[in-house]
Amino acid sequence: MGQDKDLEVKDIENKDNAVKGSDAPNLPKETDKASDTQVYEDYETHEVAKKPKRKFKKRYIAIGVAALLVAFFVIRSINASKNAVVFVNTQEASLGTIENILSVSGTVQSAESKTYFSDVTAPLAEINVKVGDKVAVGDTLYTYDEDALNLSQQTAELAIKQAKGSYSSYWSGTAAEDRKYAEGMTPAQINARLDAITLEIDAINNKITDKTSRMNQTLTDLQKVQSDINQNGIADSMESYFENGNTDYIYRNESGNQTDGAYNNPAEGDRQMSLAVSQSMLDVQYALSNDPEIQGWKRQITTLQEEQSHLQSAKAAQVNPGTATSAKAQLDSTTLTQEDTISKIEEAKEGVKAEFNGVVTAVSVVEGATVAAGAQTVTLANLDDVEVSIQISKSDLPKIAIGQQVDITINNKAYTGEISKISGTATKNNNGVAVVDTTIKITNPDSDIILGVEANNKIHAQKADNTLVLPYEYVQTDSEGDFVYVVENGLVTRKNVTIGIASSTEAQIVDGIAAGDQIITGNYDTLTEGMAVVVSEG
C-alpha cells in the first residue's frame, strides 16, 4: 500500500512537470485592448482551472502521510513504555518511638506575690529595700519607730484596764452580789427558786425538830432513872438534896431509919449505876448542842437562807438581761481587740521581714512617714516559686496535658519544668487568634532567674512507644485523605492510613499498614496504582 501511494505521488509530480514543460501559445506584445483581453482570458480559463485541483489533492495527501507518521511514533512509544522496567526504593515499616515536641516562647513570672500591709499605726524608722532588690527569707524590709510603738502598747493596755473596771463597777456592791445570784434568771424562775428554798428549809427544820425531840425524850428518861436510883435508900426528908443531880455524897440508912443521927455510905452498886446514868445524861445534853448531823442541817439552812435573801433582793432590783449581756460583750470585745493590737505591736518591734526569697516589685511608703494600720507598704515576688506563662493555639491544645515535662531556657541557662495549669477559657492574642493561657512551673529555680524576661520552652507533648513510625515525607495526601504506596507482589498498591502523633519529621501510623510492609519512598509523580515495579537493591 505504501508503494502504491509513492507511485501515485510520482505520477502527479510527472504530470505537473509535463504541463510546465509544454510550450505556451505566443501572445502578441502589443494588441488592441479588446483582443488582448480576449486571448488572455482564454488562456487563464484553460490553465488555471487545472492547477488548483492538483494542489488541493497534494496538500491533503501530505497531511495524511504526516498523521500516519505521528501515529506510528505514538504507538511505538506506548509499546516501549509498557515494556520498560520501573525501579523504586522502599523502606520496611517498623515499630519505634515518636514524640511531639512543641516549641513556644513565654514570659517568666512569679507564681506568688505578697503585698505587705501595716498592722499598726506608727512612723517608719527605716526602709531597707527599693524596687528591683532581691531579698532572702528573713531579711528586714522596714522597721517602725520604737517609742511610738511603746506608746501605742500602753494605750491598748489602758483600754483593757478601763473596760474591766467599768464592768466590775457595774457588778460591785451588795446589789451587784444579789444580781449575780439571779444572773440569767427570769422573775418567774426567781420566784420558783424562792419557793423551793422555803420547802427545803422546812424539810430540814423538821428533821432537826424530830431528832431533837427524840434526844430530849432520852434525856427525860435518864433523869427519871437517876431519880429512881437516888430514891431507893434516901429518906424523904433528904430528897431535896439530890433533886439537882448532886451525887457527890449519897448516904443511905440501910435500915431505912435514922438511928442516933448516923448515915452509912450507899452501896457500891447503887453508886456505879448513878454515875453511869449521870454520864449518859451529860452525853445527851452535849449532843443536843453539838450533834454533827444536826449541825450539818443547820449549815444547809444557813446557806439556803443566804441564797433566799439575795434572790429576794435581786427580785426587787433585777437587772435587764439584755443590759447585762451587752456589758459583758463590751468587755470581751475591748479585751480581744486590744490584746490583738498588743500582739501586733510586739511583732512590729522586731521589724517586718521577708517571708521568702524574692524580689521587691513595689514600695508604697516613705521613710519617716506615719503609716496607718492596714496601709500597703511593700510588694514582694517569690523567687522560690517561679513559672512561665505561655499561650497555646487551638491546634496544639489537644497535644498538651497537666504534668508534661518542659525543657526551659532562660538567658541561655537551662531549667526544667512541667505544665501546671491550663486555662478553661480562650482569649485572643494581638493578631486576633484564639489562644489558651497555660502555665509552666519551673521545678529548679535559682537566683539567676530574672522576672519578666522571655523563656524558650520545649514541651514534651504527645509520645508513643512501640508503634509504627514513618518519615512524614512518605505519607501522601489527596482529596480522599492520607495514604502511602507500598509494593505488593511486584505491583504498586495504595493504602489509606490514619495518622496519630505527628512531629516535624515523622508520623505515627495507627491504621492502614502493618510492620514489615514495603513502603515506597519516592518518585510518587510517576507511580500509579497497579503499576509493575522492581525494588532497587542497595
Side-chain angles (χ1 to χ4, degrees):
M1 178 178 179
Q3 292 177 353
D4 292 339
K5 287 185 178 180
D6 292 340
L7 292 174
E8 182 180 353
V9 171
K10 289 180 180 181
D11 183 61
I12 293 172
E13 290 177 350
N14 291 333
K15 288 181 180 181
D16 187 51
N17 291 335
V19 173
K20 290 181 180 180
S22 63
D23 295 335
N26 294 325
L27 295 176
K29 294 182 179 179
E30 291 184 10
T31 61
D32 59 291
K33 189 174 183 180
S35 62
D36 179 58
T37 303
Q38 182 65 41
V39 173
Y40 190 77
E41 286 179 353
D42 291 341
Y43 171 79
E44 285 187 339
T45 302
H46 174 75
E47 297 294 337
V48 173
K50 295 179 179 179
K51 289 184 71 175
K53 185 175 181 180
R54 290 196 295 271
K55 289 181 179 180
F56 176 80
K57 187 180 294 185
K58 178 181 179 180
R59 183 184 302 113
Y60 277 93
I61 291 173
I63 292 173
V65 171
L68 289 173
L69 292 173
V70 170
F72 170 75
F73 286 111
V74 169
I75 293 172
R76 187 174 67 178
S77 176
I78 291 174
N79 291 332
S81 64
K82 287 184 176 180
N83 296 326
V85 176
V86 178
F87 291 91
V88 294
N89 295 321
T90 62
Q91 177 178 311
E92 185 178 283
S94 60
L95 301 179
T97 298
I98 185 170
E99 183 176 20
N100 189 356
I101 297 180
L102 299 179
S103 295
V104 59
S105 62
T107 303
V108 180
Q109 62 187 25
S110 175
E112 178 186 9
S113 181
K114 177 178 175 61
T115 297
Y116 290 82
F117 296 88
S118 179
D119 288 333
V120 297
T121 298
L124 292 176
E126 291 182 348
I127 299 177
N128 301 322
V129 295
K130 60 182 181 297
V131 174
D133 286 352
K134 289 185 177 181
V135 297
V137 58
D139 286 352
T140 301
L141 303 177
Y142 56 90
T143 59
Y144 293 96
D145 182 272
E146 189 170 356
D147 292 337
L149 292 178
N150 288 333
L151 180 59
S152 296
Q153 182 172 350
Q154 292 174 4
T155 302
E157 291 172 346
L158 180 60
I160 294 175
K161 186 176 181 180
Q162 289 175 339
K164 289 181 177 180
S166 298
Y167 184 75
S168 297
S169 63
Y170 182 78
W171 295 100
S172 62
T174 304
E177 293 180 4
D178 293 338
R179 285 194 292 268
K180 287 182 180 180
Y181 278 91
E183 189 173 5
M185 298 176 66
T186 64
Q189 290 172 328
I190 293 176
N191 289 331
R193 179 57 184 159
L194 287 172
D195 292 343
I197 290 174
T198 300
L199 293 175
E200 289 181 37
I201 291 175
D202 290 344
I204 295 172
N205 279 328
N206 288 336
K207 292 179 182 179
I208 294 174
T209 299
D210 181 64
K211 188 168 186 177
T212 301
S213 297
R214 286 186 279 107
M215 293 173 70
N216 285 328
Q217 182 62 48
T218 300
L219 182 60
T220 300
D221 294 340
L222 289 172
Q223 289 174 343
K224 184 177 179 180
V225 170
Q226 178 73 342
S227 177
D228 290 342
I229 293 172
N230 292 338
Q231 290 178 355
N232 284 338
I234 300 173
D236 292 338
S237 61
M238 302 300 293
E239 287 182 0
S240 60
Y241 292 100
F242 304 99
E243 287 179 355
N244 296 325
N246 184 1
T247 58
D248 290 338
Y249 301 99
I250 300 177
Y251 299 99
R252 188 179 69 166
N253 190 319
E254 294 180 357
S255 62
N257 296 317
Q258 181 178 3
T259 57
D260 59 23
Y263 292 89
N264 296 322
N265 290 330
E268 184 63 25
D270 290 339
R271 182 176 178 82
Q272 292 298 327
M273 182 179 294
S274 177
L275 291 174
V277 172
S278 296
Q279 184 61 46
S280 297
M281 292 172 60
L282 292 175
D283 291 340
V284 173
Q285 289 173 344
Y286 179 83
L288 285 171
S289 301
N290 300 283
D291 180 70
E293 189 173 27
I294 293 176
Q295 295 302 314
W297 289 334
K298 289 181 177 180
R299 286 192 295 271
Q300 289 183 29
I301 291 175
T302 300
T303 301
L304 290 170
Q305 288 174 338
E306 181 180 357
E307 181 183 0
Q308 185 181 47
S309 175
H310 286 301
L311 287 175
Q312 288 171 342
S313 299
K315 181 181 177 182
Q318 188 178 26
V319 179
N320 186 304
T323 303
T325 302
S326 177
K328 184 64 167 61
Q330 181 64 34
L331 171 63
D332 293 342
S333 176
T334 301
T335 301
L336 181 64
T337 301
Q338 297 304 323
E339 285 181 348
D340 181 63
T341 299
I342 293 172
S343 175
K344 290 178 179 178
I345 291 173
E346 292 289 349
E347 292 179 3
K349 289 180 180 180
E350 302 298 324
V352 177
K353 303 181 184 300
E355 298 179 11
F356 45 74
N357 298 323
V359 59
V360 178
T361 59
V363 177
S364 307
V365 289
V366 179
E367 190 172 291
T370 298
V371 293
Q376 180 175 321
T377 56
V378 173
T379 300
L380 195 63
N382 195 339
L383 289 179
D384 293 331
D385 192 1
V386 187
E387 61 190 19
V388 179
S389 176
I390 62 174
Q391 293 182 327
I392 299 295
S393 66
K394 180 179 67 175
S395 59
D396 288 334
L397 187 60
K399 303 175 184 177
I400 66 171
I402 299 294
Q404 287 177 339
Q405 299 302 301
V406 184
D407 297 329
I408 306 169
T409 302
I410 304 173
N411 293 332
N412 296 321
K413 188 172 183 178
Y415 298 89
T416 60
E418 63 180 26
I419 294 179
S420 59
K421 181 180 180 182
I422 300 174
S423 177
T425 59
T427 58
K428 290 188 176 181
N429 60 17
N430 295 333
N431 297 324
V433 178
V435 293
V436 176
D437 291 330
T438 302
T439 301
I440 300 171
K441 179 179 177 60
I442 300 177
T443 56
N444 59 337
D446 58 24
S447 59
D448 292 336
I449 291 179
I450 298 176
L451 302 181
V453 301
E454 185 180 37
N456 296 319
N457 312 280
K458 293 186 181 298
I459 303 173
H460 294 265
Q462 300 162 307
K463 184 178 181 181
D465 296 317
N466 198 32
T467 186
L468 283 173
V469 179
L470 289 180
Y472 217 126
E473 60 190 85
Y474 297 170
V475 181
Q476 307 301 303
T477 303
D478 61 12
S479 60
E480 296 182 13
D482 298 321
F483 66 94
V484 296
Y485 282 130
V486 301
V487 176
E488 288 185 347
N489 301 321
L491 300 177
V492 175
T493 302
R494 171 186 171 133
K495 288 197 173 183
N496 294 328
V497 295
T498 302
I499 296 177
I501 299 173
S503 68
S504 60
T505 59
E506 294 181 314
Q508 176 194 22
I509 309 300
V510 297
D511 187 35
I513 62 173
D517 286 350
Q518 296 298 314
I519 311 299
I520 299 176
T521 62
N523 300 322
Y524 304 115
D525 294 338
T526 64
L527 301 178
T528 58
E529 189 171 14
M531 176 184 291
V533 293
V534 175
V535 177
S536 298
E537 296 182 359

